[in-house]
Amino acid sequence: MEYGSIEREIQIDATPEVVYEVVSRPEHLREWWPDEIEFKPVPGATGVISFGDRSTPDAKVESLTVVDADPPRRFSFRWVYDEGEVATPTNSLLVTFELTPSGSGTLLRFSEAGFRERGWEAAVLENAYREHAAGWDHFLPRLVAYVNRLVSTP
């Protein structure tokens, strides 16, 4: 296994405009992914994402920088870099949501890349990759379920 990037494709029964909002707006992201997330969905904006109660030591808190915001086609951000640093291709992971109209819905192409570029030792690289792959396998179906609830609500 090369641990280069995580890639998933998902068909979603909603327009690219709806799916774009769900993957790029904090108020929607909180419904299917992190416990808290704060940022503006514009290129260069920075923010914070957290899993768990931020007042406890168990919380996982990461910085985030928006890279690309091209509604309703693409939204990407860098994360998992040290606090106080500027996100670069060698110190962070790049998450990208590519949206393509498909029938009456949207084909979402998801990727998270940059694992090897981090320069982690093999065991750390393998662990981070597996944790993130398992995480996305948990959260991406929640994205689909959330969109389904959103579009079925009158």
Side-chain angles (χ1 to χ4, degrees):
M1 184 141 210
E2 67 172 72
Y3 308 112
S5 66
I6 297 166
E7 296 177 2
R8 304 287 186 265
E9 281 193 4
I10 303 168
Q11 180 67 34
I12 301 176
D13 294 327
T15 65
E17 289 79 7
V18 168
V19 178
Y20 183 86
E21 293 291 309
V22 169
V23 300
S24 68
R25 298 240 172 244
E27 63 270 23
H28 290 298
L29 285 160
R30 279 185 212 107
E31 295 295 322
W32 63 270
W33 187 33
D35 294 307
E36 281 300 320
I37 187 164
E38 301 163 15
F39 71 95
K40 288 192 176 11
V42 296
T46 58
V48 175
I49 182 168
S50 61
F51 299 88
D53 182 348
R54 284 170 71 174
S55 67
T56 69
D58 294 347
K60 183 81 173 136
V61 180
E62 297 288 352
S63 297
L64 172 148
T65 300
V66 177
V67 174
D68 195 5
D70 181 17
R73 291 181 284 284
R74 182 177 35 264
F75 184 75
S76 65
F77 61 86
R78 289 197 169 279
W79 75 317
V80 189
Y81 56 94
D82 292 338
E83 190 176 345
E85 287 194 10
V86 173
T88 69
T90 58
N91 75 354
S92 62
L93 301 177
L94 177 66
V95 170
T96 304
F97 296 95
E98 292 271 354
L99 310 174
T100 308
S102 174
S104 61
T106 302
L107 177 64
L108 181 148
R109 285 188 183 93
F110 164 88
S111 67
E112 184 176 32
F115 290 91
R116 282 193 317 270
E117 291 78 358
R118 290 296 311 262
W120 288 322
E121 63 180 57
V124 173
L125 169 63
E126 184 177 328
N127 187 55
Y129 183 92
R130 288 185 182 190
E131 279 185 1
H132 283 243
W136 290 115
D137 287 343
H138 171 78
F139 288 112
L140 290 173
R142 288 175 47 138
L143 180 161
V144 175
Y146 175 66
V147 170
N148 289 342
R149 284 195 316 274
L150 206 58
V151 297
S152 68
T153 305

